[in-house]
Amino acid sequence: MNGRLFFKWVMILAGGMVAFTAWVPAPKLFHATTGKIHFRSDAPLEIIKASSDGLVGLLDTAKSEFSFKVAISSFQGFNSKTQREHFNENYMQTEKYPEASFKGKIIEDVEFTKNGSYAVRAKGMLNIHGVEKERIIKSTLNIKDNIFTLQSNFTVLLNDHNIPIPKVVYQKLANEIKVEVASTLQPR
Amino acid sequence: MTFTARTVFLILLFLSSRSFAQTPFYKTYTLPGGAVAPTINCLYQESRGYILVGATTGLYRFDGVSFQKVQAEKNVPTDVTSICETKDGKTWIGFGDGKLGWLQQHQLVLQNPEEGHPTKAIKKIIQDSAGVVWIATAGEGLYYYKDKQFYNINTDDGLSDDYVYDVMADNTGVVAATDRGINLCSVKDKKHIKQYTTTDGLQDNIVRCLASRNKDIYYGTDDGGIGIVYRQNSTTPGFAYNRNWPRGKVNAILISGQHLWIGYNDGVYKAGLSTDPGAHEDIPERLVKHLDLVITHFLQDAEGNTWAASNDQLIRTNGSKLQSLISLPAAEAANTHTLLIDRDDHLWMNVREGLRHLEKDPSGQWKERIYRLPVTINSQITALYEDKFENIWIGTMGNGAFILDPANGNFRKITENKVLQSASVLSITGKNDHVWLASLEGATLARLTEANNDINHPLSIESITTIGGIGTNYIYNIFVDSKDRTWFATDGKGIAMLDKGQITNYGQAQGLKSEVAYRVAEDPQGTIWFTTFNGGLVKFDGNQFRHYGLAEGLSDLNITSLVPDGNGNLYVVHKSGIDIIDTKTGAISYLDAEQGLRDINTDLNAVAAGSNGDIYFIANDAVYRYTSSLAKAQPRITIDRIQLFLNDADVRDGHVFSASEDNISFYYTGLFYSQPGKIQYQYKLEGYGEDWITTNDRRKDFPKLPPGNYTFRVKASLNGNFENAPEASFRFTIQKPVWMRWWFVLLCLTLLGIVLYWYIKDREKRLQKWERLEKEKIQSQFETLRNQVNPHFLFNSFNTLVSEIEEDPKRAVQYVEHMADFFRSIVTYREKDIIPLSEEINIIKDYLFIQRKRYGDAFRVHINISTVESQQYSLAPLTLQLLAENAIKHNSILKEDPLLLEVFIEADQLVVRNNIKPKLHPEKSAGLGLQNIQRRYELLTKKMVMISNDDEYFTVIIPLVKKSDDTSTDHRR
């Protein structure tokens, strides 16, 4: 191989690399680095609340699609040990349905590359207790330098997910459960 | 404007500060189910009239009273989400799991498209004007079905989102509502999609439902309320009340007349519609109030009712055909004596302060204005009339009449006529230049001139109390008909008619049951109708009076008011409701408690017709408007199913049943959702009975129908008047049983003919055969006889006899005995067809005895037949004798060379043979004997007699007849 030709190849390769590094593509896939979920049931006789740090999720900004899930067993902070047992065994049947998930799309057109705060609606299938329910959940999405913080409050009706409330504990468990979600997402 | 102290009063102007809303009527129906009623997803009215209800538990047919679940094949899902009947008569069904099905006759079946079913819920199925079927799915975009092929339109084709909530087709194209805006789709040459999203001004990207009006698209959103897409300029403004009235997601919208119906998660709402959405400031009126009533779908039926489907119930409202316009305080509703709708469709009514005038502003809201009148007359207003100059005439009780100029509020009392000044006016009517005032003081006629445009210009008034021809001064109503005849309804003197100055009275003498008449009206056919006290209606066609009462379908005879709408309908008002007579067909429909009406104001003048034929009246403490053009007067009737021996039969009109299929049942339904309880039926089976039979049953069985052609006809009516009632029919034939059908009879006759012909032919043949046999026999007998009495034979025999007598007289006697036996045998047997072989042997023995005398040992005969055999067989008589004779005849008989005749049986055949010793001079012979034997046997046994001559032996083989089958040989009959 003669030296000139080698030099030419090096130049072409170097040029190519310069061009490649100059075009930095915006990241498309984000994953949750922190994910907190908290719920609260305000029944007349008993307040049940618990939270979990185990929320994991992905957001594909190209398609505006997302997927979040949490292991039911990761919920902590019940009033008592018995309450937690009831929660896992009687209501959620955690062994049978170990996870709750929410997968879907973001309705609003968000410019994910632009910093700002966006009110978005996430529409998808909410799966709790093995029962899927189509939901539109309003959320706030804050974007700052490719770091997304997502915040959302919504309610879950136990009826919707076939979670039985025994007559005895009717006064202890509300049909309407308030849920709060907060998550930080970073490029993957 | 000049004001005089007497005539000018202040006009108070209100800008509709009062709320006109009040509880509207609705009726609920609950689907059968367990403790929790199933959610109703969709509603659809079939072309034949049934309302189909798609619910989470399946598909139901609703007849106005009950729900009937449609049977489904195995594997058909229960969650019915959409229904669409296409032009080819098929009904598509969409399911929550994406499957598609058909509603066939009485069963729900799955479609099995080659392409497979969608896997996401079917949200809507429609058919566009070109016949293409469109299917909206929750996640797979749109499908369209064209030329028996499914095609998909999704985000790859430019659809803004694959989740499609609703799809609709109008004459400009197909519109799809998605999670990311509205899409206008067309697929003429290639898929073309135009999107409308929030960037185009859409209220919200999630568009959940659509409606179409004047080419514009009305849409309901998840979070942004309601808006319109104007096709012309592509703007998409929202309704003004979206801003101050966030109600959450819109589940369903429907446009009916001038109203937009909106279904939310908490009930049914209704908003007025105007061309400018910015004008929609007022929040919609809530019609159905239930906290957790999630409305899923709307349907407007063919009768003008609006139906709402929900998570709980099916809801029927009166739709836009019957509306409560303005609510009134109870006392006001009861004290309203007169209602007037003027040329501009403004409402006038008497109120405590004077006259209330109501008109709709451009936004569709009612604006009120009060014309104050002197306190003394306010409570006395009885009648209102608008003359040709749009001035309002006011009749009072005991205080005469007034004229009001609505333009400036000026009014004056009519003082030109003395009688009128203090008259009690009961009604004011008129035509062109004439205004008639009916009062307890008689009839008064005012003739208008152009100058009377000004209310202050003196009127030319004529009182006709003095004419006296009417017979009484108590006059309720005056009516000028299309022929310019004037009719007077009187209290006590029936009806009087003034025509060309001549008054004719009609009373009891003319057949009127009651001489108290309240109201006169004319229908477009020129028939005069009037109401009588407790006597119902009377119809006068120009010649005779006909009472029109309960039998004709009126629901009450105590009629107070009668108002024609100008479109051929007569509104007959009574305490319990309003009967609407369609004068063209005689059909009567009803407005009553089924429509939520009660407390109808039955004041004589409290019902009025608007310029377009709408009827206004007061009920439920409100002014109601009924729009007959949106309504339907007649029920529909359909034959649901036909059963054969109580099992469903899939048969079409004109079906031919076999003779045994003679037990037929018909199920039919009359559909009239506004008055489901009033339906009655009348049926007749033409070809079976000629009378119509009235019934409430919805099924009729005909067991044991004789063969014939039939037409089952059934009519439905709301009132027992079936004259012009809608009808359904089913023609069918029951065949005659096979043995009664013409072709079978013909076939039988032909067969019989053939058999007879064959029999006759056969008999003829047999007769011929018998004749021939007979002839042969006679010939044989003759031959035999001739031979036996042959002179040679006799001469020889006698010669022998002579020599015997000389030699041995004893033997001569024996000889004669044998001769006698022989001749007796011939005589005895010649008549017979066959004789036993033994008999024949006896004959031949006699014969041989005679011949042996002559030839001695030169002629020998060996008969080698046992006695058993001779008993067993039969043969034609004299056969052997003939053959023996033949042998003697044709051979030379010499002592040194004897002639040997052998007779024996071989295989059921008699063999007769002799050695051949030809004569030097052969005797002449015709061979008749042998021929005769041959023919006789042919006829007797159908077997041949074999004759052979081999120079050594002459052999004849004769077929014998066995005893067992000799019966068949008896041919004589």
Side-chain angles (χ1 to χ4, degrees), chain A residues 63-65 105-109 121 123 125 134 136 138, chain B residues 138 161-163 165 179-180 204-206 208 222-223:
Chain A
K63 293 181 184 164
S64 265
E65 285 175 1
K105 62 191 176 192
I106 292 172
I107 298 291
E108 275 68 27
D109 296 322
R121 280 172 295 172
K123 180 178 177 180
M125 300 307 269
E134 190 182 283
I136 297 175
K138 288 188 182 174
Chain B
D161 195 274
D162 283 340
Y163 196 109
Y165 288 92
D179 264 340
R180 288 198 178 91
D204 183 9
N205 265 348
I206 303 183
R208 299 173 52 89
D222 182 68
D223 207 26

PDB file of all heavy atoms in Angstrom, chain A residues 63-65 105-109 121 123 125 134 136 138, chain B residues 138 161-163 165 179-180 204-206 208 222-223:
ATOM      1  N   LYS A  63     -41.819   7.884  19.729  1.00  0.00           N
ATOM      2  CA  LYS A  63     -43.180   7.412  19.495  1.00  0.00           C
ATOM      3  C   LYS A  63     -44.168   7.971  20.505  1.00  0.00           C
ATOM      4  O   LYS A  63     -45.364   7.659  20.428  1.00  0.00           O
ATOM      5  CB  LYS A  63     -43.224   5.884  19.572  1.00  0.00           C
ATOM      6  CG  LYS A  63     -42.480   5.178  18.448  1.00  0.00           C
ATOM      7  CD  LYS A  63     -42.625   3.670  18.646  1.00  0.00           C
ATOM      8  CE  LYS A  63     -41.821   2.887  17.629  1.00  0.00           C
ATOM      9  NZ  LYS A  63     -41.689   1.485  18.084  1.00  0.00           N
ATOM     10  N   SER A  64     -43.632   8.704  21.495  1.00  0.00           N
ATOM     11  CA  SER A  64     -44.464   9.213  22.582  1.00  0.00           C
ATOM     12  C   SER A  64     -45.114   8.073  23.359  1.00  0.00           C
ATOM     13  O   SER A  64     -46.243   8.165  23.789  1.00  0.00           O
ATOM     14  CB  SER A  64     -45.556  10.144  22.041  1.00  0.00           C
ATOM     15  OG  SER A  64     -45.120  11.460  22.126  1.00  0.00           O
ATOM     16  N   GLU A  65     -44.395   6.966  23.486  1.00  0.00           N
ATOM     17  CA  GLU A  65     -44.956   5.822  24.193  1.00  0.00           C
ATOM     18  C   GLU A  65     -44.191   5.576  25.491  1.00  0.00           C
ATOM     19  O   GLU A  65     -43.012   5.882  25.589  1.00  0.00           O
ATOM     20  CB  GLU A  65     -44.904   4.571  23.320  1.00  0.00           C
ATOM     21  CG  GLU A  65     -45.963   4.607  22.231  1.00  0.00           C
ATOM     22  CD  GLU A  65     -45.858   3.440  21.266  1.00  0.00           C
ATOM     23  OE1 GLU A  65     -44.976   2.571  21.435  1.00  0.00           O
ATOM     24  OE2 GLU A  65     -46.673   3.421  20.326  1.00  0.00           O
ATOM     25  N   LYS A 105     -49.575   5.754  25.607  1.00  0.00           N
ATOM     26  CA  LYS A 105     -48.966   6.814  24.820  1.00  0.00           C
ATOM     27  C   LYS A 105     -49.288   8.157  25.463  1.00  0.00           C
ATOM     28  O   LYS A 105     -50.233   8.265  26.249  1.00  0.00           O
ATOM     29  CB  LYS A 105     -49.512   6.772  23.405  1.00  0.00           C
ATOM     30  CG  LYS A 105     -51.016   7.005  23.355  1.00  0.00           C
ATOM     31  CD  LYS A 105     -51.591   6.706  21.995  1.00  0.00           C
ATOM     32  CE  LYS A 105     -53.104   6.864  22.026  1.00  0.00           C
ATOM     33  NZ  LYS A 105     -53.752   6.339  20.837  1.00  0.00           N
ATOM     34  N   ILE A 106     -48.513   9.150  25.093  1.00  0.00           N
ATOM     35  CA  ILE A 106     -48.791  10.504  25.566  1.00  0.00           C
ATOM     36  C   ILE A 106     -49.561  11.225  24.469  1.00  0.00           C
ATOM     37  O   ILE A 106     -49.166  11.226  23.298  1.00  0.00           O
ATOM     38  CB  ILE A 106     -47.480  11.234  25.921  1.00  0.00           C
ATOM     39  CG1 ILE A 106     -46.871  10.569  27.156  1.00  0.00           C
ATOM     40  CG2 ILE A 106     -47.746  12.718  26.186  1.00  0.00           C
ATOM     41  CD1 ILE A 106     -45.499  11.063  27.503  1.00  0.00           C
ATOM     42  N   ILE A 107     -50.711  11.754  24.843  1.00  0.00           N
ATOM     43  CA  ILE A 107     -51.597  12.362  23.845  1.00  0.00           C
ATOM     44  C   ILE A 107     -51.002  13.652  23.299  1.00  0.00           C
ATOM     45  O   ILE A 107     -50.988  13.883  22.094  1.00  0.00           O
ATOM     46  CB  ILE A 107     -52.968  12.663  24.481  1.00  0.00           C
ATOM     47  CG1 ILE A 107     -53.637  11.371  24.961  1.00  0.00           C
ATOM     48  CG2 ILE A 107     -53.857  13.442  23.529  1.00  0.00           C
ATOM     49  CD1 ILE A 107     -54.102  10.436  23.889  1.00  0.00           C
ATOM     50  N   GLU A 108     -50.554  14.509  24.183  1.00  0.00           N
ATOM     51  CA  GLU A 108     -50.091  15.821  23.757  1.00  0.00           C
ATOM     52  C   GLU A 108     -48.791  15.723  22.956  1.00  0.00           C
ATOM     53  O   GLU A 108     -47.963  14.833  23.187  1.00  0.00           O
ATOM     54  CB  GLU A 108     -49.878  16.735  24.974  1.00  0.00           C
ATOM     55  CG  GLU A 108     -51.137  17.448  25.441  1.00  0.00           C
ATOM     56  CD  GLU A 108     -52.161  16.509  26.039  1.00  0.00           C
ATOM     57  OE1 GLU A 108     -51.751  15.457  26.558  1.00  0.00           O
ATOM     58  OE2 GLU A 108     -53.373  16.834  25.969  1.00  0.00           O
ATOM     59  N   ASP A 109     -48.647  16.640  22.027  1.00  0.00           N
ATOM     60  CA  ASP A 109     -47.386  16.714  21.294  1.00  0.00           C
ATOM     61  C   ASP A 109     -46.391  17.489  22.147  1.00  0.00           C
ATOM     62  O   ASP A 109     -46.551  18.692  22.352  1.00  0.00           O
ATOM     63  CB  ASP A 109     -47.597  17.434  19.956  1.00  0.00           C
ATOM     64  CG  ASP A 109     -48.524  16.636  19.067  1.00  0.00           C
ATOM     65  OD1 ASP A 109     -48.425  15.389  19.085  1.00  0.00           O
ATOM     66  OD2 ASP A 109     -49.361  17.246  18.366  1.00  0.00           O
ATOM     67  N   ARG A 121     -51.457  14.277  28.965  1.00  0.00           N
ATOM     68  CA  ARG A 121     -52.361  13.186  29.330  1.00  0.00           C
ATOM     69  C   ARG A 121     -51.738  11.884  28.849  1.00  0.00           C
ATOM     70  O   ARG A 121     -51.344  11.781  27.691  1.00  0.00           O
ATOM     71  CB  ARG A 121     -53.726  13.377  28.690  1.00  0.00           C
ATOM     72  CG  ARG A 121     -54.590  14.370  29.443  1.00  0.00           C
ATOM     73  CD  ARG A 121     -55.836  14.692  28.698  1.00  0.00           C
ATOM     74  NE  ARG A 121     -55.518  15.375  27.438  1.00  0.00           N
ATOM     75  CZ  ARG A 121     -56.418  15.642  26.508  1.00  0.00           C
ATOM     76  NH1 ARG A 121     -57.664  15.264  26.668  1.00  0.00           N
ATOM     77  NH2 ARG A 121     -56.065  16.254  25.404  1.00  0.00           N
ATOM     78  N   LYS A 123     -52.375   8.161  28.064  1.00  0.00           N
ATOM     79  CA  LYS A 123     -53.502   7.262  27.841  1.00  0.00           C
ATOM     80  C   LYS A 123     -52.980   5.856  27.644  1.00  0.00           C
ATOM     81  O   LYS A 123     -52.051   5.627  26.878  1.00  0.00           O
ATOM     82  CB  LYS A 123     -54.281   7.683  26.600  1.00  0.00           C
ATOM     83  CG  LYS A 123     -55.457   6.759  26.341  1.00  0.00           C
ATOM     84  CD  LYS A 123     -56.262   7.192  25.165  1.00  0.00           C
ATOM     85  CE  LYS A 123     -57.361   6.162  24.940  1.00  0.00           C
ATOM     86  NZ  LYS A 123     -58.197   6.494  23.812  1.00  0.00           N
ATOM     87  N   MET A 125     -53.337   1.390  29.124  1.00  0.00           N
ATOM     88  CA  MET A 125     -54.015   0.354  29.874  1.00  0.00           C
ATOM     89  C   MET A 125     -53.382   0.261  31.252  1.00  0.00           C
ATOM     90  O   MET A 125     -52.187   0.002  31.381  1.00  0.00           O
ATOM     91  CB  MET A 125     -53.895  -0.992  29.158  1.00  0.00           C
ATOM     92  CG  MET A 125     -54.495  -0.999  27.765  1.00  0.00           C
ATOM     93  SD  MET A 125     -56.196  -0.432  27.713  1.00  0.00           S
ATOM     94  CE  MET A 125     -57.046  -1.973  27.910  1.00  0.00           C
ATOM     95  N   GLU A 134     -58.753   0.842  30.605  1.00  0.00           N
ATOM     96  CA  GLU A 134     -58.223   1.943  29.805  1.00  0.00           C
ATOM     97  C   GLU A 134     -58.346   3.237  30.601  1.00  0.00           C
ATOM     98  O   GLU A 134     -59.415   3.561  31.114  1.00  0.00           O
ATOM     99  CB  GLU A 134     -59.009   2.040  28.502  1.00  0.00           C
ATOM    100  CG  GLU A 134     -58.379   2.984  27.509  1.00  0.00           C
ATOM    101  CD  GLU A 134     -59.218   3.072  26.259  1.00  0.00           C
ATOM    102  OE1 GLU A 134     -59.161   2.134  25.453  1.00  0.00           O
ATOM    103  OE2 GLU A 134     -59.951   4.064  26.117  1.00  0.00           O
ATOM    104  N   ILE A 136     -57.082   7.517  31.070  1.00  0.00           N
ATOM    105  CA  ILE A 136     -56.364   8.703  30.640  1.00  0.00           C
ATOM    106  C   ILE A 136     -55.944   9.405  31.926  1.00  0.00           C
ATOM    107  O   ILE A 136     -56.793   9.775  32.742  1.00  0.00           O
ATOM    108  CB  ILE A 136     -57.239   9.625  29.783  1.00  0.00           C
ATOM    109  CG1 ILE A 136     -57.641   8.893  28.504  1.00  0.00           C
ATOM    110  CG2 ILE A 136     -56.520  10.924  29.469  1.00  0.00           C
ATOM    111  CD1 ILE A 136     -58.610   9.660  27.635  1.00  0.00           C
ATOM    112  N   LYS A 138     -53.850  12.403  33.834  1.00  0.00           N
ATOM    113  CA  LYS A 138     -53.208  13.705  33.644  1.00  0.00           C
ATOM    114  C   LYS A 138     -51.915  13.756  34.458  1.00  0.00           C
ATOM    115  O   LYS A 138     -51.892  13.331  35.617  1.00  0.00           O
ATOM    116  CB  LYS A 138     -54.138  14.816  34.088  1.00  0.00           C
ATOM    117  CG  LYS A 138     -55.280  14.981  33.110  1.00  0.00           C
ATOM    118  CD  LYS A 138     -56.113  16.196  33.425  1.00  0.00           C
ATOM    119  CE  LYS A 138     -57.256  16.276  32.441  1.00  0.00           C
ATOM    120  NZ  LYS A 138     -58.206  17.328  32.742  1.00  0.00           N
TER     121      LYS A 138
ATOM    122  N   ALA B 138     -60.245   0.546  18.531  1.00  0.00           N
ATOM    123  CA  ALA B 138     -59.525   1.208  19.615  1.00  0.00           C
ATOM    124  C   ALA B 138     -58.077   0.772  19.590  1.00  0.00           C
ATOM    125  O   ALA B 138     -57.625   0.036  20.463  1.00  0.00           O
ATOM    126  CB  ALA B 138     -60.183   0.877  20.947  1.00  0.00           C
ATOM    127  N   ASP B 161     -53.942   9.066  14.677  1.00  0.00           N
ATOM    128  CA  ASP B 161     -53.750   8.110  15.763  1.00  0.00           C
ATOM    129  C   ASP B 161     -54.528   6.849  15.447  1.00  0.00           C
ATOM    130  O   ASP B 161     -55.510   6.878  14.710  1.00  0.00           O
ATOM    131  CB  ASP B 161     -54.233   8.715  17.095  1.00  0.00           C
ATOM    132  CG  ASP B 161     -53.735   7.916  18.287  1.00  0.00           C
ATOM    133  OD1 ASP B 161     -54.399   6.926  18.663  1.00  0.00           O
ATOM    134  OD2 ASP B 161     -52.678   8.278  18.830  1.00  0.00           O
ATOM    135  N   ASP B 162     -54.082   5.737  16.010  1.00  0.00           N
ATOM    136  CA  ASP B 162     -54.745   4.471  15.719  1.00  0.00           C
ATOM    137  C   ASP B 162     -55.938   4.185  16.623  1.00  0.00           C
ATOM    138  O   ASP B 162     -56.653   3.224  16.433  1.00  0.00           O
ATOM    139  CB  ASP B 162     -53.739   3.312  15.838  1.00  0.00           C
ATOM    140  CG  ASP B 162     -52.843   3.242  14.624  1.00  0.00           C
ATOM    141  OD1 ASP B 162     -53.244   3.807  13.582  1.00  0.00           O
ATOM    142  OD2 ASP B 162     -51.753   2.654  14.709  1.00  0.00           O
ATOM    143  N   TYR B 163     -56.107   5.010  17.640  1.00  0.00           N
ATOM    144  CA  TYR B 163     -57.256   4.818  18.519  1.00  0.00           C
ATOM    145  C   TYR B 163     -58.398   5.668  17.975  1.00  0.00           C
ATOM    146  O   TYR B 163     -58.379   6.886  18.071  1.00  0.00           O
ATOM    147  CB  TYR B 163     -56.899   5.224  19.951  1.00  0.00           C
ATOM    148  CG  TYR B 163     -57.869   4.707  20.982  1.00  0.00           C
ATOM    149  CD1 TYR B 163     -57.515   3.698  21.867  1.00  0.00           C
ATOM    150  CD2 TYR B 163     -59.162   5.213  21.056  1.00  0.00           C
ATOM    151  CE1 TYR B 163     -58.408   3.220  22.810  1.00  0.00           C
ATOM    152  CE2 TYR B 163     -60.068   4.739  21.984  1.00  0.00           C
ATOM    153  CZ  TYR B 163     -59.684   3.744  22.867  1.00  0.00           C
ATOM    154  OH  TYR B 163     -60.577   3.267  23.798  1.00  0.00           O
ATOM    155  N   TYR B 165     -62.299   6.638  18.103  1.00  0.00           N
ATOM    156  CA  TYR B 165     -63.482   6.559  18.957  1.00  0.00           C
ATOM    157  C   TYR B 165     -64.758   6.472  18.134  1.00  0.00           C
ATOM    158  O   TYR B 165     -65.685   5.771  18.480  1.00  0.00           O
ATOM    159  CB  TYR B 165     -63.607   7.827  19.821  1.00  0.00           C
ATOM    160  CG  TYR B 165     -62.605   7.931  20.927  1.00  0.00           C
ATOM    161  CD1 TYR B 165     -61.391   8.584  20.736  1.00  0.00           C
ATOM    162  CD2 TYR B 165     -62.887   7.398  22.177  1.00  0.00           C
ATOM    163  CE1 TYR B 165     -60.489   8.689  21.767  1.00  0.00           C
ATOM    164  CE2 TYR B 165     -61.980   7.516  23.211  1.00  0.00           C
ATOM    165  CZ  TYR B 165     -60.784   8.159  23.012  1.00  0.00           C
ATOM    166  OH  TYR B 165     -59.899   8.277  24.038  1.00  0.00           O
ATOM    167  N   ASP B 179     -57.551   9.790  19.131  1.00  0.00           N
ATOM    168  CA  ASP B 179     -56.846  10.344  20.289  1.00  0.00           C
ATOM    169  C   ASP B 179     -56.017  11.568  19.916  1.00  0.00           C
ATOM    170  O   ASP B 179     -55.572  12.307  20.789  1.00  0.00           O
ATOM    171  CB  ASP B 179     -55.903   9.280  20.867  1.00  0.00           C
ATOM    172  CG  ASP B 179     -56.554   8.546  22.029  1.00  0.00           C
ATOM    173  OD1 ASP B 179     -57.513   9.096  22.598  1.00  0.00           O
ATOM    174  OD2 ASP B 179     -56.098   7.442  22.350  1.00  0.00           O
ATOM    175  N   ARG B 180     -55.737  11.721  18.647  1.00  0.00           N
ATOM    176  CA  ARG B 180     -54.944  12.890  18.239  1.00  0.00           C
ATOM    177  C   ARG B 180     -55.652  13.642  17.125  1.00  0.00           C
ATOM    178  O   ARG B 180     -55.129  13.852  16.055  1.00  0.00           O
ATOM    179  CB  ARG B 180     -53.540  12.452  17.790  1.00  0.00           C
ATOM    180  CG  ARG B 180     -52.661  12.003  18.957  1.00  0.00           C
ATOM    181  CD  ARG B 180     -51.192  12.000  18.592  1.00  0.00           C
ATOM    182  NE  ARG B 180     -50.370  11.627  19.729  1.00  0.00           N
ATOM    183  CZ  ARG B 180     -50.018  10.360  20.003  1.00  0.00           C
ATOM    184  NH1 ARG B 180     -50.413   9.389  19.211  1.00  0.00           N
ATOM    185  NH2 ARG B 180     -49.262  10.096  21.042  1.00  0.00           N
ATOM    186  N   ASP B 204     -59.569  19.996  21.720  1.00  0.00           N
ATOM    187  CA  ASP B 204     -58.779  18.986  22.417  1.00  0.00           C
ATOM    188  C   ASP B 204     -58.412  17.936  21.385  1.00  0.00           C
ATOM    189  O   ASP B 204     -59.157  17.725  20.426  1.00  0.00           O
ATOM    190  CB  ASP B 204     -59.629  18.358  23.546  1.00  0.00           C
ATOM    191  CG  ASP B 204     -58.829  17.351  24.355  1.00  0.00           C
ATOM    192  OD1 ASP B 204     -57.601  17.259  24.168  1.00  0.00           O
ATOM    193  OD2 ASP B 204     -59.459  16.648  25.177  1.00  0.00           O
ATOM    194  N   ASN B 205     -57.272  17.280  21.591  1.00  0.00           N
ATOM    195  CA  ASN B 205     -56.884  16.253  20.637  1.00  0.00           C
ATOM    196  C   ASN B 205     -57.708  14.983  20.774  1.00  0.00           C
ATOM    197  O   ASN B 205     -57.933  14.278  19.811  1.00  0.00           O
ATOM    198  CB  ASN B 205     -55.406  15.913  20.784  1.00  0.00           C
ATOM    199  CG  ASN B 205     -54.568  16.713  19.809  1.00  0.00           C
ATOM    200  OD1 ASN B 205     -55.110  17.338  18.889  1.00  0.00           O
ATOM    201  ND2 ASN B 205     -53.262  16.701  19.992  1.00  0.00           N
ATOM    202  N   ILE B 206     -58.134  14.701  22.001  1.00  0.00           N
ATOM    203  CA  ILE B 206     -58.927  13.480  22.173  1.00  0.00           C
ATOM    204  C   ILE B 206     -60.373  13.804  21.797  1.00  0.00           C
ATOM    205  O   ILE B 206     -61.088  14.466  22.548  1.00  0.00           O
ATOM    206  CB  ILE B 206     -58.837  12.949  23.616  1.00  0.00           C
ATOM    207  CG1 ILE B 206     -57.377  12.694  23.989  1.00  0.00           C
ATOM    208  CG2 ILE B 206     -59.655  11.677  23.753  1.00  0.00           C
ATOM    209  CD1 ILE B 206     -57.187  12.104  25.363  1.00  0.00           C
ATOM    210  N   ARG B 208     -63.950  12.342  21.109  1.00  0.00           N
ATOM    211  CA  ARG B 208     -64.633  11.100  21.477  1.00  0.00           C
ATOM    212  C   ARG B 208     -65.903  10.835  20.692  1.00  0.00           C
ATOM    213  O   ARG B 208     -66.364   9.708  20.620  1.00  0.00           O
ATOM    214  CB  ARG B 208     -64.957  11.127  22.969  1.00  0.00           C
ATOM    215  CG  ARG B 208     -63.709  11.220  23.832  1.00  0.00           C
ATOM    216  CD  ARG B 208     -64.073  11.407  25.280  1.00  0.00           C
ATOM    217  NE  ARG B 208     -65.026  10.401  25.711  1.00  0.00           N
ATOM    218  CZ  ARG B 208     -64.684   9.219  26.212  1.00  0.00           C
ATOM    219  NH1 ARG B 208     -63.421   8.920  26.357  1.00  0.00           N
ATOM    220  NH2 ARG B 208     -65.592   8.363  26.582  1.00  0.00           N
ATOM    221  N   ASP B 222     -62.492  14.972  25.084  1.00  0.00           N
ATOM    222  CA  ASP B 222     -62.217  14.419  26.406  1.00  0.00           C
ATOM    223  C   ASP B 222     -62.130  15.518  27.451  1.00  0.00           C
ATOM    224  O   ASP B 222     -62.656  15.401  28.543  1.00  0.00           O
ATOM    225  CB  ASP B 222     -60.884  13.661  26.351  1.00  0.00           C
ATOM    226  CG  ASP B 222     -60.552  13.010  27.667  1.00  0.00           C
ATOM    227  OD1 ASP B 222     -61.272  12.064  28.038  1.00  0.00           O
ATOM    228  OD2 ASP B 222     -59.587  13.449  28.324  1.00  0.00           O
ATOM    229  N   ASP B 223     -61.495  16.606  27.089  1.00  0.00           N
ATOM    230  CA  ASP B 223     -61.197  17.615  28.095  1.00  0.00           C
ATOM    231  C   ASP B 223     -61.513  19.029  27.635  1.00  0.00           C
ATOM    232  O   ASP B 223     -61.378  19.962  28.403  1.00  0.00           O
ATOM    233  CB  ASP B 223     -59.689  17.523  28.437  1.00  0.00           C
ATOM    234  CG  ASP B 223     -59.411  17.998  29.841  1.00  0.00           C
ATOM    235  OD1 ASP B 223     -60.337  17.908  30.669  1.00  0.00           O
ATOM    236  OD2 ASP B 223     -58.286  18.449  30.095  1.00  0.00           O
TER     237      ASP B 223
END
